[in-house]
C-alpha cells in the first residue's frame, strides 16, 4: 500500500516536471532542440551531407610491394596482396590515386607533395615485403614460418588536423576490416591443427586485436558526430534540465508545497530523476532520428548498450544539475551556472571535434569528463559495432562518476531543505 | 481525550544569531479559528513553517493532531492542509491537473481522487471553460480559490492559512472570508496568520499577537480589548499634524496614547487618541488642536481595535513596523 502510494507520488512528480518542459516553448528549444540545432549547423558545415561517402576522401597509394625484396636470402617479387588491398580500397568507394598507374614517381615524397597541395588527403605506403610477410614466406632454418608483420604507413597533412583525423579514422576502419577478411582466408589455408598457431601469424598489420567488425565500411565524419552528440544531449537535456528541477520550483514556491506534503525527499528526487531521464532519452531519440533523416548516417544499433551508456552518463549530468539546482539561490542563478558550465564543456567532450586536435591540458581535462567517455563509447559502439565489453573501461568510469555525482546531488538537495 | 489540535510548547527557533521565535507556547483547540497576528518579521511565518513541518524548531515541542512533529512528521503532514501566502500552483497546468497532482502527493488516487477534484472544482466556482485553461490565465481571486482547494484535497482536520487574502481587492477578500468562515463552520481547526487587524477581528475566535518572536497577548479579540482596559478611540482628521500637537494631546489627562495614522482607503492622515473617557476629554482635544493652529476636518469616536491593542502593547503601529522592515 505504502509502495503503491510512493509510486503514485514519484510518477506524479515526474509527469508534472515533464509537462513543465513540453508545455514551455523556450524550455523545449533549450532542452530538446538546442543540441539538434548544433548538430545541424556543425553537421552541414563540417560533417558532410548524406550524399557524400568515402569517395570524398582521396587516398594516395605508394605501392612498393611490386619491388624486389630479400626473403630468406633470396630475391622475391610478388604484389598480390598489395594489389588486393588497393582494389579493396577502391571497392570501398574511396577515391584512390595510384602513382605508378599514372606514371608518377611512386615514392612517399611525391605523395607528401600532393598532400601539401591538397591533391590527396592521406597517403598509404605499402612496403615492398607486404605480400611476402602476409603469405608466411619468412621461415626459420627448420622451415617453420617466422612471425613477420607487414607495416602500412599512413601520412596525413599536419596543417589540417581535422581533415586528417577524419581521413585517418576512415582508412583505419577500412584496414581493420581488411585484416579481418584476410585472417579468415589465411587461416583456411592451413590444416585445423595449425590454425591456432597461424592465427597469431595472421594478425599482421595493426596492433589492434579487437573484434570490431568494421568490414571496410566507409565512415564519414558525420557518422562519428551523430553518436557524439549524445554527449551534448547529456549537457543540454540532462544537466540543464536537472539544474532547473528544484530551483524552478523553489522560485515558484511549488517546492514549498511539495515539502509540506507527506512526501519523502527520496520520492521527490526519484520523480525528478525519472523526468530528467525521460527528457534525456527523448532528446537522444530526436538527435539520432535527425541524424538518420537529415544526414543519412549509417550506424549500428545496439539498443541495450546505448540505453545503458546513456543512463549511466545521465546520472553524472543529473547529479551535477541537482547540485546546481539545490545550491543556487533561485531559478535565474541556476540557469546562469548551468549555462556557464555546459557551454564551454561541450567543446571538451569530443562531440564534434576530436580531442586530439586540442592542446594537451585541454585533452587531459576533456578525458576526465564522464561525458567524453560516453561520446567515445557511443562512437565505438555505433560506428564500429563493438560490443559493450569493448568499452567496459568507459562504462565503468561512467558508472562510478555517475554514482558519485548523483550522491553529491542528493546531499546538496538535503542541504537545500534546510534553507526553506 | 485530546481537545487541542495544535500544541506548541516552549518553542524557539534560531537562525545563527537571530531568534525568530522565542520560547513560544500556545494551544489551538479543535474547531477553533486561531489568528496569529503581527507585523512582518514578528515570527509568524517562522512559527507556521515549524507547524507545517517545513523547518524544525531549535528547541521545544510541537504537536499537531496529537502527533509530535519530530517523531511523526508524515502523520502531521497528512493531518494538515497548508495554504501558503503565495499562489503555489503550476501555471502551465489547468486547475484539474493541479488538483490531481497535489491529491496524488497526499496519497489519493482513482475514483476517490476524481470525486474530491470534482467536489473542490465546484467549491472554486470555476466554470468548465476556466477549468480547462492553464492557471496562468486565471485572475487573482480564481488562483486563490484553487490555491485553497489544493490544501483541502485530503480533507485535513487542521488548516494553516498564511496571509490568504494578501493582495486581494475588497470584493475578493470578502469572498475569501466567506470561504474561511464556511470551513470553520464545518468544524475545521484553522490557524490564520495575518497582519490585517480587521481580518483577525472579523474571523478569529482567538488571537495571538506576536512581536519580535514572542506572543505578547493571547485571547479573543474582545478579551484583548478589555485586557488593555480601553473602550474608545477618537480619530481626528486635521488639516495638518505638527509634532507639537501629538505632544500636547498626549499631555491631556485621560489620554492613554496618541499617534499619527494613515488611512490607506481614504488616503488621509489622522490623529488617533486612545482613552477610556472619550466624551469627557473631547473638548480638551479640540482646544489643543486649535492651540496648535490647525483646523479640524472631521472627528470620529470609535471602539478600540486590535490595531490599537498592538500599539499599546508595543508602542509602535503595525504600519510603522512594516515600513521599518
Amino acid at each position: 500500500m505504502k509502495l503503491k502510494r510512493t509510486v503514485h507520488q514519484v510518477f506524479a512528480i515526474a509527469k508534472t516536471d515533464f509537462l513543465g518542459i513540453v508545455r514551455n516553448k523556450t524550455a523545449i528549444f533549450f532542452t530538446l532542440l538546442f543540441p539538434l540545432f548544433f548538430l545541424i549547423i556543425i553537421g552541414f558545415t563540417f560533417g558532410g551531407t548524406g550524399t557524400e561517402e568515402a569517395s570524398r576522401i582521396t587516398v594516395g597509394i605508394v605501392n612498393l610491394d611490386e619491388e624486389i625484396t630479400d626473403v630468406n636470402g633470396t630475391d622475391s617479387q610478388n604484389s598480390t596482396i598489395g594489389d588486393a588491398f588497393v582494389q579493396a580500397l577502391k571497392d570501398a568507394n574511396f577515391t584512390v590515386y595510384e602513382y605508378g598507374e599514372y606514371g608518377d614517381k611512386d615514392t612517399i615524397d611525391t605523395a607528401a607533395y600532393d598532400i601539401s597541395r591538397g591533391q590527396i588527403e592521406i597517403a598509404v605506403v605499402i612496403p615492398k615485403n607486404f605480400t611476402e610477410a602476409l603469405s608466411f614466406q619468412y621461415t626459420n632454418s627448420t622451415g617453420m614460418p617466422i612471425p613477420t608483420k607487414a607495416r602500412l604507413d599512413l601520412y596525413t597533412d599536419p596543417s589540417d588536423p581535422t581533415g586528417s583525423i577524419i581521413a585517418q579514422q576512415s582508412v583505419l576502419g577500412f584496414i581493420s576490416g581488411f585484416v579481418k577478411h584476410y585472417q579468415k582466408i589465411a587461416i583456411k589455408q592451413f590444416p585445423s591443427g595449425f590454425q591456432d598457431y597461424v592465427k597469431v601469424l595472421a594478425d599482421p598489420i595493426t596492433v589492434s586485436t579487437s573484434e570490431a567488425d568494421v568490414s571496410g565500411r566507409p565512415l564519414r565524419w558525420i557518422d562519428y558526430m551523430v553518436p557524439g552528440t549524445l554527449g551534448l544531449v547529456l549537457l543540454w537535456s540532462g544537466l540543464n534540465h536537472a539544474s532547473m528541477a528544484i530551483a524552478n520550483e523553489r522560485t515558484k514556491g511549488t517546492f514549498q508545497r511539495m515539502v509540506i506534503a507527506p512526501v519523502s525527499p527520496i520520492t521527490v528526487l526519484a520523480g525528478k530523476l525519472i523526468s530528467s531521464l525521460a527528457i534525456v532519452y527523448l532528446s537522444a531519440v530526436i538527435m539520432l532520428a535527425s541524424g538518420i533523416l537529415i544526414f543519412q548516417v549509417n550506424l549500428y544499433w545496439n539498443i541495450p548498450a546505448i540505453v545503458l551508456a546513456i543512463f549511466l552518463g545521465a546520472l553524472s549530468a543529473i547529479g551535477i544539475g541537482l547540485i546546481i539546482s539545490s545550491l543556487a539561490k533561485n531559478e535565474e542563478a541556476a540557469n546562469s551556472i548551468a549555462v556557464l558550465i555546459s557551454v564551454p564543456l561541450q567543446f571538451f567532450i569530443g562531440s564534434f571535434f576530436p580531442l586530439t586536435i586540442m592542446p594537451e591540458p585541454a585533452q587531459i581535462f576533456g578525458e576526465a569528463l564522464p561525458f567524453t567517455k560516453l561520446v567515445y563509447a557511443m562512437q565505438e559502439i555505433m560506428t564500429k559495432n563493438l560490443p559493450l565489453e569493448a568499452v567496459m573501461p568507459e562504462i565503468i568510469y561512467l558508472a562510478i562518476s555517475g554514482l558519485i555525482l548523483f550522491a553529491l546531488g542528493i546531499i546538496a538537495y538535503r542541504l537545500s531543505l534546510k534553507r526553506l | 481525550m485530546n481537545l487541542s489540535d495544535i500544541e506548541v510548547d516552549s518553542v524557539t527557533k534560531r537562525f545563527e544569531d537571530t531568534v525568530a521565535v522565542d520560547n513560544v507556547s500556545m494551544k489551538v483547540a479543535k474547531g477553533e479559528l486561531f489568528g496569529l497576528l503581527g507585523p512582518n518579521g514578528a515570527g509568524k511565518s517562522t512559527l507556521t513553517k515549524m507547524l507545517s513541518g517545513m523547518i524544525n524548531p531549535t528547541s521545544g515541542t510541537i504537536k499537531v493532531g496529537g502527533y509530535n512533529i519530530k517523531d511523526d512528521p508524515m502523520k502531521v503532514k497528512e493531518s494538515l492542509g497548508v495554504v501558503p501566502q503565495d499562489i503555489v500552483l503550476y501555471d502551465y497546468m489547468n486547475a484539474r491537473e493541479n488538483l490531481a497532482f497535489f491529491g496524488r502527493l497526499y496519497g489519493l488516487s482513482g475514483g476517490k481522487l476524481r470525486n474530491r477534484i470534482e467536489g473542490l472544482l465546484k467549491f472554486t466556482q470555476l466554470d468548465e471553460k476556466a477549468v480547462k485553461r492553464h492557471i496562468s490565465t486565471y485572475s487573482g481571486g480564481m488562483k486563490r480559490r484553487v490555491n485553497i482547494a489544493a490544501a483541502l484535497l485530503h480533507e485535513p482536520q487542521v488548516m494553516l492559512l498564511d496571509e490568504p487574502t494578501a493582495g486581494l481587492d475588497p470584493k475578493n477578500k470578502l469572498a475569501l472570508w466567506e470561504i474561511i468562515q464556511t470551513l470553520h463552520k464545518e468544524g475545521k481547526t484553522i490557524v490564520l496568520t495575518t497582519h490585517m487587524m480587521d481580518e483577525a477581528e472579523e474571523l478569529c475566535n482567538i488571537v495571538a499577537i506576536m512581536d519580535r518572536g514572542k506572543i505578547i497577548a493571547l485571547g479573543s479579540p474582545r478579551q484583548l480589548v478589555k485586557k488593555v482596559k480601553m473602550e474608545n478611540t477618537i480619530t481626528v482628521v486635521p488639516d495638518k499634524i505638527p509634532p507639537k500637537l501629538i505632544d500636547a494631546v498626549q499631555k491631556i489627562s485621560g489620554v492613554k496614547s496618541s499617534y499619527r495614522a494613515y488611512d490607506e482607503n481614504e488616503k488621509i492622515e489622522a490623529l488617533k487618541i486612545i482613552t477610556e473617557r472619550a466624551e469627557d476629554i473631547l473638548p480638551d482635544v479640540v482646544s489643543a488642536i486649535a492651540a496648535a493652529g490647525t483646523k479640524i476636518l472631521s472627528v470620529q469616536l470609535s471602539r478600540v481595535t486590535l490595531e490599537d491593542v498592538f500599539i499599546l502593547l508595543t508602542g509602535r503601529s503595525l504600519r510603522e513596523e512594516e515600513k521599518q522592515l
Side-chain angles (χ1 to χ4, degrees):
Chain A
M1 191 69 185
K2 198 183 170 194
L3 179 69
K4 192 180 165 191
R5 178 187 171 133
T6 306
V7 169
H8 274 140
Q9 289 173 331
V10 167
F11 281 99
I13 293 167
K15 183 186 167 189
T16 301
D17 207 44
F18 188 76
L19 286 178
I21 294 291
V22 296
R23 289 185 179 173
N24 180 334
K25 285 175 191 164
T26 314
I28 287 179
F29 177 76
F30 280 104
T31 309
L32 293 175
L33 300 180
F34 194 66
L36 178 63
F37 177 73
F38 245 87
L39 173 68
I40 291 171
I41 296 291
I42 297 186
F44 274 121
T45 311
F46 300 105
T49 65
T51 54
E52 290 178 326
E53 298 285 340
S55 57
R56 199 172 66 86
I57 298 169
T58 311
V59 184
I61 297 292
V62 179
N63 191 353
L64 305 177
D65 199 18
E66 294 159 352
E67 291 180 20
I68 297 167
T69 186
D70 180 3
V71 178
N72 303 323
T74 57
D75 287 345
S76 171
Q77 187 178 17
N78 190 338
S79 62
T80 313
I81 300 178
D83 291 342
F85 177 84
V86 175
Q87 190 53 49
L89 261 178
K90 289 176 181 171
D91 293 344
N93 215 16
F94 284 90
T95 301
V96 177
Y97 186 89
E98 288 180 81
Y99 289 92
E101 190 182 344
Y102 296 104
D104 292 335
K105 206 175 174 187
D106 210 353
T107 66
I108 183 56
D109 292 337
T110 318
Y113 178 66
D114 282 349
I115 287 172
S116 69
R117 286 163 55 226
Q119 296 286 329
I120 59 170
E121 287 166 84
I122 185 166
V124 180
V125 178
I126 306 172
K128 58 186 178 182
N129 67 344
F130 191 68
T131 299
E132 286 78 4
L134 291 174
S135 53
F136 314 107
Q137 290 183 30
Y138 291 94
T139 56
N140 60 19
S141 55
T142 62
M144 284 293 285
I146 302 167
T148 310
K149 290 202 174 196
R151 199 185 77 239
L152 282 175
D153 294 323
L154 308 183
Y155 293 89
T156 54
D157 184 0
S159 68
D160 178 17
T162 309
S164 297
I165 283 168
I166 298 165
Q168 214 171 59
Q169 290 280 9
S170 300
V171 172
L172 281 173
F174 165 78
I175 292 170
S176 257
F178 180 81
V179 167
K180 194 140 188 165
H181 185 64
Y182 164 78
Q183 278 178 323
K184 280 181 193 165
I185 295 169
I187 290 168
K188 276 183 191 163
Q189 310 299 315
F190 287 82
S192 58
F194 283 90
Q195 284 187 356
D196 281 346
Y197 178 61
V198 173
K199 206 170 183 178
V200 177
L201 287 177
D203 180 19
I205 300 173
T206 61
V207 288
S208 169
T209 55
S210 70
E211 295 178 1
D213 181 16
V214 292
S215 57
R217 183 178 198 162
L219 287 171
R220 300 162 302 148
W221 194 17
I222 191 72
D223 294 324
Y224 284 94
M225 204 185 275
V226 170
T229 55
L230 294 177
L232 275 196
V233 163
L234 290 191
L235 287 176
W236 284 100
S237 306
L239 192 153
N240 266 8
H241 172 68
S243 71
M244 302 304 285
I246 308 291
N248 187 15
E249 299 232 25
R250 193 194 294 281
T251 305
K252 285 183 179 160
T254 43
F255 186 61
Q256 187 184 342
R257 205 156 211 166
M258 229 182 280
V259 172
I260 57 182
V263 182
S264 71
I266 292 297
T267 303
V268 175
L269 284 176
K272 297 289 179 189
L273 175 66
I274 288 177
S275 68
S276 296
L277 284 174
I279 297 287
V280 165
Y281 283 119
L282 178 63
S283 182
V285 167
I286 292 173
M287 294 296 278
L288 295 174
S290 304
I292 296 167
L293 294 172
I294 301 170
F295 298 107
Q296 286 88 47
V297 287
N298 192 7
L299 299 166
Y300 293 99
W301 299 100
N302 184 348
I303 300 295
I306 294 168
V307 169
L308 175 71
I310 290 177
F311 172 76
L312 295 174
L315 279 184
S316 292
I318 295 168
I320 297 172
L322 275 180
I323 295 169
I324 296 169
S325 199
S326 302
L327 301 182
K329 234 178 177 178
N330 51 37
E331 185 181 358
E332 224 169 71
N335 189 32
S336 305
I337 298 168
V339 168
L340 206 66
I341 291 175
S342 54
V343 168
L345 278 196
Q346 64 188 348
F347 298 106
F348 289 92
I349 62 172
S351 275
F352 295 128
F353 306 101
L355 281 181
T356 44
I357 67 170
M358 291 186 168
E360 205 183 337
Q363 284 185 40
I364 294 168
F365 172 69
E367 284 294 341
L369 297 170
F371 314 112
T372 313
K373 305 293 180 194
L374 178 88
V375 167
Y376 178 76
M378 290 291 90
Q379 286 172 338
E380 292 294 285
I381 290 169
M382 297 179 79
T383 61
K384 296 179 185 168
N385 201 22
L386 293 185
L388 194 62
E389 301 85 70
V391 289
M392 201 43 82
E394 284 73 25
I395 294 295
I396 292 169
Y397 193 98
L398 283 173
I400 292 171
S401 60
L403 288 175
I404 291 172
L405 288 168
F406 195 71
L408 290 175
I410 293 173
I411 293 168
Y413 173 74
R414 284 195 169 273
L415 285 175
S416 77
L417 293 177
K418 293 183 178 171
R419 288 194 292 123
L420 286 167
Chain B
M1 191 180 161
N2 191 355
L3 294 176
S4 296
D5 262 336
I6 296 177
E7 291 176 47
V8 177
D9 184 19
S10 311
V11 165
T12 297
K13 180 67 186 176
R14 288 177 194 278
F15 295 106
E16 292 173 359
D17 295 335
T18 313
V19 182
V21 173
D22 190 0
N23 197 30
V24 164
S25 297
M26 64 181 209
K27 284 184 180 181
V28 182
K30 272 189 196 300
E32 204 163 66
L33 208 167
F34 186 97
L36 210 48
L37 196 61
N40 292 332
K44 307 187 305 287
S45 290
T46 307
L47 184 58
T48 47
K49 277 181 181 177
M50 287 190 284
L51 289 175
S52 64
M54 211 189 299
I55 57 173
N56 295 319
T58 309
S59 63
T61 313
I62 295 174
K63 284 185 183 175
V64 178
Y67 299 107
N68 188 318
I69 208 161
K70 205 174 170 188
D71 303 332
D72 291 304
M74 289 299 170
K75 291 276 183 197
V76 168
K77 288 176 178 184
E78 278 169 16
S79 58
L80 266 178
V82 183
V83 180
Q85 180 178 349
D86 299 318
I87 303 295
V88 178
L89 299 166
Y90 292 93
D91 56 8
Y92 53 83
M93 300 200 298
N94 62 38
R96 187 175 272 117
E97 287 171 329
N98 266 285
L99 293 179
F101 171 69
F102 291 115
R104 286 198 180 93
L105 289 190
Y106 282 87
L108 301 177
S109 59
K112 192 177 178 189
L113 177 61
R114 276 194 298 276
N115 290 341
R116 283 300 294 154
I117 291 172
E118 292 314 315
L120 286 166
L121 284 175
K122 279 179 196 156
F123 162 85
T124 59
Q125 297 167 359
L126 297 175
D127 59 43
E128 196 48 39
K129 259 186 179 176
V131 166
K132 287 177 184 167
R133 292 200 325 256
H134 289 175
I135 294 285
S136 56
T137 64
Y138 287 13
S139 69
M142 289 158 86
K143 285 178 185 175
R144 285 272 168 202
R145 294 200 294 274
V146 180
N147 205 34
I148 292 180
L152 291 167
L153 277 155
H154 58 297
E155 301 178 85
Q157 166 57 27
V158 185
M159 296 204 67
L160 297 182
L161 310 180
D162 189 7
E163 311 260 2
T165 57
L168 284 186
D169 59 57
K171 188 183 158 200
N172 277 309
K173 188 168 134 181
L174 286 175
L176 214 58
W177 281 9
E178 266 179 44
I179 290 174
I180 295 168
Q181 280 162 334
T182 307
L183 293 172
H184 183 215
K185 279 178 196 159
E186 285 172 6
K188 293 202 184 299
T189 306
I190 300 172
V191 174
L192 170 80
T193 68
T194 181
H195 65 277
M196 285 182 268
M197 301 293 173
D198 58 338
E199 188 163 280
E201 280 189 286
E202 178 70 25
L203 298 175
C204 303
N205 325 104
I206 300 288
V207 171
I209 298 181
M210 281 195 83
D211 185 42
R212 294 175 184 173
K214 287 178 182 290
I215 291 181
I216 55 171
L218 180 69
S220 69
R222 187 172 287 275
Q223 280 171 334
L224 289 178
V225 169
K226 278 187 179 167
K227 212 173 185 174
V228 292
K229 293 178 182 166
M230 297 184 309
E231 287 177 1
N232 293 309
T233 303
I234 303 170
T235 305
V236 182
V237 181
D239 60 348
K240 57 186 175 190
I241 308 177
K244 63 176 183 183
L245 173 60
I246 298 173
D247 292 340
V249 170
Q250 190 69 53
K251 284 174 188 162
I252 297 170
S253 169
V255 170
K256 282 258 181 187
S257 172
S258 65
Y259 59 93
R260 193 192 299 259
Y262 185 74
D263 187 326
E264 269 184 17
N265 293 333
E266 300 291 329
K267 308 283 179 208
I268 50 170
E269 202 169 39
L271 176 65
K272 284 209 166 197
I273 303 152
I274 296 170
T275 175
E276 290 176 49
R277 302 181 289 115
E279 284 170 17
D280 296 345
I281 66 161
L282 191 55
D284 297 336
V285 171
V286 172
S287 302
I289 291 171
T294 58
K295 283 181 190 165
I296 295 175
L297 303 178
S298 71
V299 178
Q300 192 185 348
L301 297 184
S302 57
R303 67 181 183 85
V304 167
T305 64
L306 285 177
E307 170 95 27
D308 303 317
V309 174
F310 181 82
I311 290 159
L312 267 177
L313 291 171
T314 64
R316 307 178 306 277
S317 79
L318 275 172
R319 293 189 207 292
E320 280 169 25
E321 286 287 300
E322 280 153 25
K323 274 176 196 167
Q324 279 173 23
L325 293 161

